[in-house]
Amino acid sequence: MKDANESKSYTIVIKLGSSSLVDEKTKEPKLAIMSLIVETVVKLRRMGHKVIIVSSGGIAVGLRTMRMNKRPKHLAEVQAIAAIGQGRLIGRWDLLFSQFDQRIAQILLTRNDILDWTQYKNAQNTINELLNMGVIPIVNENDTLSVREIKFGDNDTLSAITSALIHADYLFLLTDVDCLYTDNPRTNPDAMPILVVPDLSKGLPGVNTAGGSGSDVGTGGMETKLVAADLATNAGVHTLIMKSDTPANIGRIVEYMQTLELDDENKVKQAYNGDLTDLQKREFEKLKALNVPLHTKFIANDNKHHLKNREFWILHGLVSKGAVVIDQGAYAALTRKNKAGLLPAGVIDVQGTFHELECVDIKVGKKLPDGTLDPDFPLQTVGKARCNYTSSELTKIKGLHSDQIEEELGYNDSEYVAHRENLAFPPR
Amino acid sequence: MTKAYTIVIKLGSSSLVDESTKEPKLSIMTLIVETVTNLKRMGHKVIIVSSGGIAVGLDALNIPHKPKQLSEVQAIAAVGQGRLIARWNMLFSQYGEQTAQILLTRNDILRWNQYNNARNTINELLAMGVIPIVNENDTLSISEIEFGDNDTLSAITAALVGADFLFLLTDVDCLYTDNPRTNPDARPIVLVPELSEGLPGVNTSSGSGSEVGTGGMRTKLIAADLASNAGIETIVMKSDRPEYVPKIVDYIQHHFRPPRHIGNGTQQQFLDLQDTELEQLRRYDVPMHTKFLANDNKHKLKNREFWILHGLITKGAIIIDENSYDKLLSKDMASLTPNAVIEVRDNFHELECVDLKIGQRLPNGELDISKPIQSVGCVRSNYTSLELAKIKGLPSEKIHDVLGYSVSEYVAHRENIAFPPQF
């Protein structure tokens, strides 16, 4: 089995923050680290893996180019600087990778580019085509054009969405600490390293993430990395946090992964009883014995519990425009395995304004005897849906049987408020 | 006093990449860089609209022909666009100039605030003295959100920033009455006062073309029409002599006199005009080019009108009667009310863009389908197609009775109605 494992080829996404690429104070490029990353990526490629880089830094490079000390506050100025920097940064990557005769490709995304299912799949096809060609895609947010309402928010989230988009095996989040700790090791000498997290959905008992890492150049902190890890593991992608100034360690960690038995990670996951501390000690001993660099590994959900492509797109690729409140009975029916669709009879209330097939939250509420929403019952968001009806239409047909839709609206687009393929719930 | 202009220069793939070998045309790129640098030193602001990502990607990957599968083409564009901007950056850096990369899809300007955002960003770059290099984000564009060709993209970009000139560089030195490669009697067209009147005596069906670039003369005429409606002078000229741009700018600035009469006139008048202008070009030793004059201020599209007409994707149509159309055109800033609506076509959401058409009403209020229907503008409706189908032909006060609610007494406010310039 060891030989078979060693020949495994992975799809790996490497996310680099601004602080990996640009010096925080001088804003000069960190060419040495960039070169180390290039060498690491080339080596991974030669090992048979496919690699994607998610690289921020356009704004930082633009600041340096324009000799500006601080990031401006005016949006048009920030975006202008991003436009200057992104062209220069991709040129830098191209120059470095060319030394190894390796081609790269530039992918600039806004959330607009994946709002439509056809476009989501188109982006997926394009990146997969690049990987098949042996090209290294370098993905960034199209900062020049993103207005607040369509921003991904941070590049950690973008890297998680990219990983899910292409069904990556691993997402490496490079940062300025070597792993997650129970507390900030700079201020608390008793902070312990967190090396393996079998189930992020159970939380991180004993871990203080409020004082995360941060830097002037990058706005990402540990919190965004945990959000990214949650997104990625739900989509079946193992996520690792490690130090950015020794990128060569990626290769060593990947080699270590290849030595693991196929079910090792699932065994750790199944054996996990919520005692995070004991697990860290055992993992620490293992890494130490094998001389593997420090890192935090968030184990992905197994096939049974990970989000399929379209489910991920509905949950994380779209922007929610409102909410549909359903009762517990309807929710139970939706989450059974008989692939139920959502019927208007299950709808108690409609919130916000939305068009048909726009994304809305699904919330569970309680119905009063007269059929209206019980305002005292706390609403719980349980998933998302793309409805066949607009908010105003749904307001009219809520609580009705499907055969009453025609009578109420004058037309009947569907007996379902949402088909099964347009419903998505986080893994349970 | 030398005036400072905002100039958009559009380069086709054939300007940047050799058609056969796919190798970069570094000498022409360098000439363009020198030209742009000179224009900047003259005080002008310059934006480049540059295609070529796919062609550069083909070269980088040693692929001889453009593939047919969309994801392959887009993958190649992703390789090429990074390399191309790096090339521009390297060349401009020799002259101490900075470039900025702007990659657009139509999605990026579908909302008014995004359209304004893109404008603000590009104008900020120009204010910083940076040269924006605009291209379509080919990697991500699917057919329904494509601009279609970079000529159209350059016209929209020029309108977006309120440019004074749009230069379309191509592989012929100007527009001709026919293809000069096949018809030795083809005559040069050097001045077009009014493109919307058509080009009498001109055959544009057999335009220029090349394997690398898919643009032809027809797309340049469409771009010129868009640009002139937005108040932008458009010039078509040869791409292998980019240094001619400042000479043409200088000529227009100091020597050009617009023709006295309005419009293109008859075919003979139009051809006489060409002879007169050609004589002027010879007198001042100005290189050959075709000049499409911009509409004057009275007839040019304002920013928001341009955005509605050309920045958005049309999703359906609203048909109104002639009287209502006349009211909308009058200067009292009339808005569109539901009683004017005869029919609604296709499906659209509120505030999506739809064609505005004129039809004729039968005595029973329905559309007379035996009469021709004419498109006259674009509208962003306050109501969906379904809602509008219910309230069409009704007075505004009936809206609430029929729908159960009333978003507005108007189908469309004046600010969400746009017509092409009227003459």
Side-chain angles (χ1 to χ4, degrees):
Chain A
M1 281 309 292
K2 189 172 181 184
D3 288 344
N5 286 338
E6 279 180 355
S7 67
K8 268 193 282 186
S9 63
Y10 299 130
T11 301
I12 299 168
V13 174
I14 300 174
K15 188 264 162 176
L16 309 164
S18 296
S19 57
S20 305
L21 305 176
V22 176
D23 185 272
E24 192 174 328
K25 297 192 178 77
T26 67
K27 303 294 192 285
E28 288 169 342
K30 288 182 168 177
L31 277 180
I33 294 185
M34 285 182 79
S35 301
L36 280 169
I37 290 159
V38 167
E39 287 174 0
T40 297
V41 170
V42 169
K43 183 182 175 185
L44 288 170
R45 290 258 306 117
R46 289 172 185 169
M47 288 165 66
H49 305 299
K50 297 173 176 175
V51 187
I52 297 110
I53 291 175
V54 178
S55 158
S56 69
I59 291 169
V61 172
L63 287 170
R64 161 73 178 173
T65 303
M66 301 306 288
R67 300 292 194 268
M68 296 167 80
N69 287 327
K70 282 186 179 178
R71 182 187 171 123
K73 291 175 181 174
H74 186 217
L75 178 62
E77 260 185 296
V78 175
Q79 294 187 309
I81 286 163
I84 296 164
Q86 77 192 17
R88 185 158 285 225
L89 185 55
I90 196 70
R92 222 168 262 169
W93 282 123
D94 198 31
L95 170 69
L96 293 174
F97 275 107
S98 290
Q99 310 309 308
F100 300 90
D101 205 24
Q102 173 64 57
R103 302 284 171 261
I104 64 166
Q106 183 189 40
I107 306 282
L108 291 182
L109 288 167
T110 66
R111 195 181 276 276
N112 262 354
D113 298 317
I114 57 172
L115 282 183
D116 180 85
W117 177 236
T118 303
Q119 285 177 246
Y120 184 86
K121 285 193 294 180
N122 183 70
Q124 180 184 79
N125 290 341
T126 299
I127 297 177
N128 280 330
E129 187 70 41
L130 287 163
L131 294 174
N132 290 338
M133 288 177 173
V135 175
I136 295 165
I138 298 184
V139 178
N140 199 350
E141 179 155 21
N142 201 348
D143 281 325
T144 306
L145 300 169
S146 296
V147 295
R148 187 186 320 106
E149 66 206 42
I150 59 165
K151 271 194 170 293
F152 283 106
D154 60 86
N155 274 28
D156 288 318
T157 300
L158 173 61
S159 69
I161 289 178
T162 301
S163 301
L165 185 70
I166 60 169
H167 305 127
D169 299 292
Y170 291 98
L171 167 60
F172 281 81
L173 302 172
L174 272 61
T175 183
D176 58 358
V177 296
D178 36 32
C179 63
L180 180 62
Y181 283 85
T182 52
D183 202 351
N184 189 335
R186 292 168 179 159
T187 58
N188 179 353
D190 295 325
M192 282 182 57
I194 301 293
L195 304 175
V196 61
V197 179
D199 193 342
L200 190 51
S201 66
K202 291 180 178 168
L204 296 169
V207 177
N208 171 26
T209 58
S213 67
S215 65
D216 194 44
V217 172
T219 56
M222 194 54 76
E223 190 191 337
T224 60
K225 284 165 183 57
L226 292 176
V227 171
D230 187 45
L231 291 181
T233 52
N234 277 350
V237 182
H238 301 294
T239 304
L240 298 96
I241 290 174
M242 60 168 270
K243 205 140 200 278
S244 61
D245 60 3
T246 49
N249 286 347
I250 296 173
R252 294 171 66 190
I253 293 170
V254 169
E255 282 170 348
Y256 164 64
M257 301 305 184
Q258 288 179 317
T259 66
L260 298 178
E261 296 296 328
L262 288 173
D263 286 330
D264 276 1
E265 283 156 346
N266 283 335
K267 284 172 185 171
V268 172
K269 203 174 193 64
Q270 286 160 20
Y272 181 51
N273 59 5
D275 184 350
L276 205 58
T277 304
D278 183 59
L279 185 59
Q280 306 318 310
K281 289 174 182 171
R282 286 188 275 115
E283 186 72 9
F284 185 81
E285 290 303 321
K286 193 198 298 184
L287 297 187
K288 193 172 176 185
L290 295 169
N291 196 28
V292 178
L294 275 183
H295 65 277
T296 304
K297 181 169 69 181
F298 300 84
I299 299 178
N301 291 8
D302 58 37
N303 272 339
K304 199 183 302 183
H305 296 101
H306 87 237
L307 294 171
K308 302 299 184 290
N309 218 9
R310 194 172 166 97
E311 288 170 327
F312 186 90
W313 171 67
I314 293 173
L315 282 176
H316 304 299
L318 301 180
V319 180
S320 193
K321 295 300 182 68
V324 174
V325 185
I326 66 178
D327 57 57
Q328 187 72 43
Y331 175 56
L334 291 180
T335 50
R336 278 198 296 265
K337 291 192 177 179
N338 65 0
K339 298 296 187 181
L342 178 61
L343 297 167
V347 178
I348 309 173
D349 200 27
V350 178
Q351 297 176 347
T353 304
F354 50 88
H355 294 137
E356 69 272 15
L357 296 182
E358 280 190 326
C359 184
V360 299
D361 287 331
I362 299 179
K363 299 180 178 179
V364 176
K366 187 176 174 185
K367 204 182 292 208
L368 289 173
D370 66 354
T372 59
L373 180 67
D374 183 349
D376 295 326
F377 188 86
L379 297 181
Q380 181 191 356
T381 299
V382 295
K384 288 190 179 178
R386 297 172 72 232
C387 296
N388 291 321
Y389 292 96
T390 67
S391 47
S392 54
E393 289 167 345
L394 201 48
T395 299
K396 293 181 174 179
I397 65 174
K398 67 186 181 187
L400 302 182
H401 289 291
S402 296
D403 49 23
Q404 295 175 272
I405 294 174
E406 176 96 35
E407 184 181 341
E408 186 66 34
L409 296 181
Y411 50 88
N412 183 335
D413 283 345
S414 170
E415 64 179 316
Y416 292 106
V417 167
H419 296 116
R420 186 71 191 94
E421 68 168 18
N422 280 323
L423 292 162
F425 302 100
R428 313 170 69 202
Chain B
M1 181 64 189
T2 301
K3 199 174 170 186
Y5 294 128
T6 301
I7 299 168
V8 175
I9 299 177
K10 187 264 161 175
L11 309 162
S13 296
S14 57
S15 306
L16 305 176
V17 176
D18 185 273
E19 192 173 329
S20 307
T21 66
K22 303 296 190 288
E23 289 168 343
K25 288 182 169 177
L26 269 181
S27 58
I28 294 185
M29 285 184 79
T30 308
L31 280 170
I32 290 159
V33 167
E34 287 178 1
T35 297
V36 171
T37 301
N38 285 338
L39 287 168
K40 286 196 65 190
R41 289 172 185 169
M42 290 164 66
H44 305 301
K45 297 173 177 174
V46 186
I47 296 153
I48 291 175
V49 178
S50 159
S51 69
I54 292 167
V56 172
L58 289 169
D59 180 49
L61 294 163
N62 287 316
I63 296 174
H65 292 292
K66 181 170 167 176
K68 289 177 181 173
Q69 196 189 340
L70 179 62
S71 61
E72 269 188 277
V73 175
Q74 293 187 311
I76 289 164
V79 173
Q81 75 193 17
R83 182 158 286 208
L84 186 55
I85 191 66
R87 213 169 270 168
W88 282 123
N89 208 30
M90 184 267 293
L91 292 173
F92 275 109
S93 292
Q94 310 308 310
Y95 299 87
E97 297 289 346
Q98 307 296 351
T99 65
Q101 183 189 40
I102 306 283
L103 292 182
L104 286 168
T105 66
R106 196 180 275 276
N107 263 353
D108 298 317
I109 57 172
L110 281 184
R111 285 190 182 80
W112 181 234
N113 72 318
Q114 283 178 250
Y115 186 83
N116 277 319
N117 183 71
R119 182 201 305 133
N120 291 340
T121 299
I122 297 177
N123 280 332
E124 186 71 37
L125 288 163
L126 295 174
M128 288 177 172
V130 175
I131 299 159
I133 299 183
V134 179
N135 199 350
E136 178 153 23
N137 201 348
D138 283 325
T139 305
L140 300 169
S141 294
I142 56 181
S143 58
E144 65 203 43
I145 59 163
E146 274 185 347
F147 283 104
D149 59 86
N150 274 28
D151 288 319
T152 300
L153 173 61
S154 68
I156 289 178
T157 300
L160 185 70
V161 301
D164 300 289
F165 291 100
L166 169 61
F167 280 80
L168 302 173
L169 273 60
T170 182
D171 58 359
V172 296
D173 47 19
C174 64
L175 180 62
Y176 284 84
T177 52
D178 202 351
N179 189 334
R181 292 169 180 159
T182 58
N183 180 354
D185 294 325
R187 291 171 63 176
I189 302 295
V190 290
L191 177 58
V192 180
E194 186 52 65
L195 186 51
S196 64
E197 290 179 6
L199 297 169
V202 178
N203 171 24
T204 58
S205 58
S206 60
S208 68
S210 65
E211 173 164 290
V212 173
T214 56
M217 194 53 75
R218 191 168 61 88
T219 60
K220 283 163 184 59
L221 293 175
I222 291 171
D225 187 45
L226 291 182
S228 55
N229 279 350
I232 301 159
E233 313 276 334
T234 304
I235 289 96
V236 171
M237 61 169 269
K238 204 132 198 283
S239 61
D240 60 1
R241 307 301 295 269
E243 68 270 24
Y244 287 166
V245 173
K247 292 176 88 172
I248 293 169
V249 169
D250 183 76
Y251 164 69
I252 293 171
Q253 211 168 17
H254 296 116
H255 305 296
F256 174 71
R257 295 292 176 266
R260 218 169 288 106
H261 63 77
I262 302 298
N264 291 345
T266 64
Q267 177 169 337
Q268 190 54 53
Q269 284 171 326
F270 184 70
L271 292 178
D272 288 346
L273 182 63
Q274 306 315 311
D275 291 340
T276 302
E277 182 64 14
L278 205 49
E279 188 58 37
Q280 281 282 100
L281 297 186
R282 288 189 186 123
R283 175 189 301 178
Y284 292 106
D285 193 27
V286 180
M288 292 285 282
H289 65 278
T290 305
K291 197 170 32 274
F292 299 86
L293 298 189
N295 293 5
D296 58 39
N297 270 338
K298 197 185 303 185
H299 298 103
K300 106 181 193 191
L301 294 173
K302 303 298 185 289
N303 243 330
R304 193 173 166 98
E305 289 168 328
F306 186 90
W307 172 68
I308 292 173
L309 284 173
H310 305 300
L312 300 180
I313 300 166
T314 302
K315 295 298 182 71
I318 295 174
I319 305 175
I320 65 175
D321 57 61
E322 184 90 39
N323 284 340
S324 303
Y325 174 60
D326 289 339
K327 282 179 189 169
L328 290 177
L329 284 182
S330 70
K331 294 192 177 179
D332 66 1
M333 298 302 284
S335 296
L336 182 63
T337 49
N339 59 294
V341 178
I342 307 174
E343 184 154 291
V344 178
R345 292 201 169 152
D346 295 327
N347 294 314
F348 49 87
H349 294 133
E350 68 272 18
L351 297 181
E352 281 188 327
C353 186
V354 299
D355 273 334
L356 190 66
K357 297 182 176 181
I358 299 177
Q360 197 160 317
R361 224 190 275 258
L362 290 170
N364 66 357
E366 289 177 7
L367 178 70
D368 185 347
I369 57 175
S370 69
K371 296 298 197 300
I373 294 170
Q374 179 192 354
S375 280
V376 294
C378 291
V379 168
R380 297 173 74 232
S381 167
N382 287 322
Y383 291 95
T384 67
S385 47
L386 289 172
E387 291 166 343
L388 201 48
K390 292 181 173 179
I391 64 175
K392 67 185 182 187
L394 300 180
S396 296
E397 54 265 31
K398 286 288 203 332
I399 294 175
H400 195 279
D401 290 344
V402 172
L403 296 182
Y405 51 87
S406 177
V407 171
S408 168
E409 62 179 313
Y410 298 111
V411 167
H413 298 112
R414 190 70 188 85
E415 68 167 17
N416 280 323
I417 302 174
F419 302 106
Q422 310 291 316
F423 294 94

